[in-house]
Amino acid sequence: MKLLVTGGAGYVGSAVAARLVDTGHEVTVLDDLSTGHADAVPPGAAFVQAPVAEAGPVLEEGFDGVLHFAAKSLVGESVQKPGLYWSVNLGGALALLDAMRRAGVPRIVFSSTAATYGEPERTPIEESDPTRPTNPYGASKLAVDTALTAYAGLHGIGAVSLRYFNVAGAHTAADGRVYGERHAVETHLIPNVLAVALGRRPSVDVYGVDYPTPDGTCVRDYIHVTDLAEAHLLALDACRSGTHEIYNLGSGTGFSVNDVVSACREVTGHPIPAVVRERRPGDPAVLVASSERIRRDLGWKPVHTDLNTIIADAWAAVRHD
C-alpha cells in the first residue's frame, strides 16, 4: 500500500515507518521536526517536513492509508499549555481527517494512549472501562477517538485506535539501522535510568515507596517498540469501512519502578544510585492494560516481553547514539 506516516520522524513513528518499508509498502513520512529527527526517517521512505494540519496537499497525491503519530505527548506540559495540546492533537487530527475525506483515503490507524482511561477502577484495563482522562494530553487523545468514530460513521473511513502506556526498547530494521528513543525532554523511566549509567545524571528519582504493590513502588506496563510496530501493521489490515475499532496494547502484568531500576543495573553493570522522593500527585499505584481483545481479534502476540531484553535493546541504542 501507499501510506502516509505522520510523526514518522519520532520514536514510535520512525520504528513503524521502518517496519512498513521492510514489508514492502510505499511510505511517505510527514513530520514538522518539532520533536522528531530527520535522520530517523528510514531509508526508502519519502520525507515531507510539514505539520500534520498541512497534510492535505500530500494526501492529494493518492494514498491507501494513514498511520497517525504526530502529537504532543508530555503530560506535564499539557497541564501547563492545554491550548497547545488541543490545537495540535485534536486540531491537527481534524484537519488530517478532513484532508483524508477530500482525497478519498480509506483507512487510518491512530496512535492513541491508555491515558484516555485516567485513574482506572480496576487493572488490567479493558476497552470497555470508563474513559476519564486526568490531563489535557489524555483528553485531547480521547477527543480524537470520538472524532474517528464520527468520521467512520459519516464518511465510511475505516479506523483503528491503539491505546498503550509505556513504549520502550529499540527497533532494529532489516538494514541494521536502530530506531531508539531520543527526546529533548525525557520523562520516561527507562531512558532516565539508563542516563545514570551513561554518566549524564547522578541518580534516578523514585517517587514513592509506600504504594499497595509488591515492593511499594508504582507498577507500569511496558511494551517493546517492535511489538508495537507489529500491532500497527495488523491494525492497518484490520481497518474496515465505516467502523472504528479500539484496542489496548499491554503486557497484562507490568513491572515496578524497582524492577526497572534493578534490571537496568543488571544489564548495564552500573550501580545506578536511586533517591527516594515523595509521591507525585495523581500517580496511580498500578497502570496495566489488557491486550486480550487485540490478541483474540487480530492475533497480535508480543514477542519481546522480557524486561531485561527490552532494556538491553534500549541500552544498545543509547550507547550507539
Side-chain angles (χ1 to χ4, degrees), residues 206 252 256:
V206 178
S256 73

Side-chain angles (χ1 to χ4, degrees), residues 5 57 60 66 92-93 97-98 101 121 133 148 180 191 234 240-241 254 256 288 296 303:
V5 181
E60 291 296 337
V66 173
L97 286 167
D98 269 339
R101 176 182 56 79
E121 297 175 352
L148 287 171
L234 290 170
R240 298 290 178 265
S241 177
S256 73
V288 175
R296 181 185 68 246
V303 175

